Amino acid sequence: MSHVEDTVDKLLKGYDIRLRPDFGGAPVAVGMSIDVASIDRVSEVNMDYTLTMYFQQYWRDKRLAYAEIPLNLTLDNRVADQLWVPDTYFLNDKRSFVHGVTVKNRMIRLHPDGTVLYGLRITTTAACMMDLRRYPLDEQNCTLEIESYGYTTDDIEFYWKGGDRAVTGVTRIKLPQFSIVDYKLVSRNVVFSTGAYPRLSLSFKLKRNIGYFILQTYMPSVLITILSWVSFWINYDASAARVALGITTVLTMTTINTHLRETLPKIPYVKAIDMYLMGCFVFVFLALLEYAFVNYIFFGRGPQMQKKQAEKAQKANNERENFDGPKVNTCGNILLTTLETHNEVGGNDVETHNRSSSSSSSCAVFDSSGVLYRKPSGGREPGRLGPARDDQLKKTRLRRRSSQLRIKMPDLTNVNGIDRWSRIIFPFSFSLFNTIYWLYYVN
């Protein structure tokens, strides 16, 4: 035991911590390795993540070499204050600390050849600049930048000890919202105005788990949008029910949007989930406007327009009847109006039905109902009235065909028809919106 104490005292005696190993010679090669204990939190609001790790640094200091004991010496953590250590810091660090329960979590281990192992248990909160345009269907790269603060590449060099195996513990980490898809180690030199400095980078590729957002955001939005379509099956005169349902769904979508904005930073661009919620909000709002349109058609301008159209149609029919001339029945008789009958009888142009049967040119005939007809005579009248009757039949067929064409066209003044069309258009449009959205953002 005393031999070990003598060795340690000999190593520390005359040791100058102000000078790096091999001062004035080749730069000190410092190897680093990390054992990741946990990733505690990834925050989109603050754009950072919290990492707890065991951070080890290796370098060789010939001043600490010994040959008296063929053993490695693990010393008290307070010895680190008496030795030269690299001035390593985390470039993107926001807050960091070395754990101190029950003692300060530091380790110093000396090897006979002068190799020093310096280990720390550190929790650091590092900045992670995220691109949230595809949120929550996004992937993020969060890095940990390790750099020398004062020593340039002329004095110190950094490298990952063990290559790709320098970082361990990543595979056993489980995060609630993310999955660690991959990680990458990078070593490079960066140049500043004060010189070139060594830098090591550990980059985590994080893929967000969408299950939480499907249950908490997407599914409620879909169900609320579908719920707004129930008003299409409610009778149009039930104003209280349809208005209450429309306003409730609009306010619910507004609440979901507000809650989502509180959990995200105020960024200037539109996120993927914003596009979806805005689309759902538009469908819900249009469902409310659909009833406003139905109500306007039924109680507002719609009846006035129908009344005007009916008056125009009646006027057109009256003009058409006056233009078509006298009405002719199937027997070729001309039906006289009351005024014409009075004139005919008053002017003694026709006889009673007993006398008119002997007339050769024209006669007036009374049927059993007392309606007076003028009977065309045998030579001229059938030939003159035949084309008129053909024209009347042609016009009747044209009017029938035009009315059939109007029936086939959708009538916007029919409130029931508007609801029936809405039952088809809204679900189809929403399904198309979902198809385009998921194909674009997932692929």
Side-chain angles (χ1 to χ4, degrees), residues 8 15 32 71 102 127 135 163 174 192 198 210 230 257 263 275 300 308 330 347 380 397 418:
V8 174
Y15 187 89
M32 299 186 183
L71 298 175
T102 56
Y135 178 91
K174 301 296 182 182
F192 296 102
I210 197 176
V230 175
N257 275 298
T263 60
M275 296 291 295
K308 292 180 180 179
T330 56
R380 295 174 301 169
R397 294 191 191 100
I418 296 174

Side-chain angles (χ1 to χ4, degrees), residues 24 45 90-91 96 107 151 153 161 170 183 200 253:
V45 178
F90 302 120
L91 182 67
S96 295
M107 179 188 66
Y151 292 107
T153 54
K161 186 176 178 60
V170 178
Y183 67 94
L200 300 181
M253 288 302 306

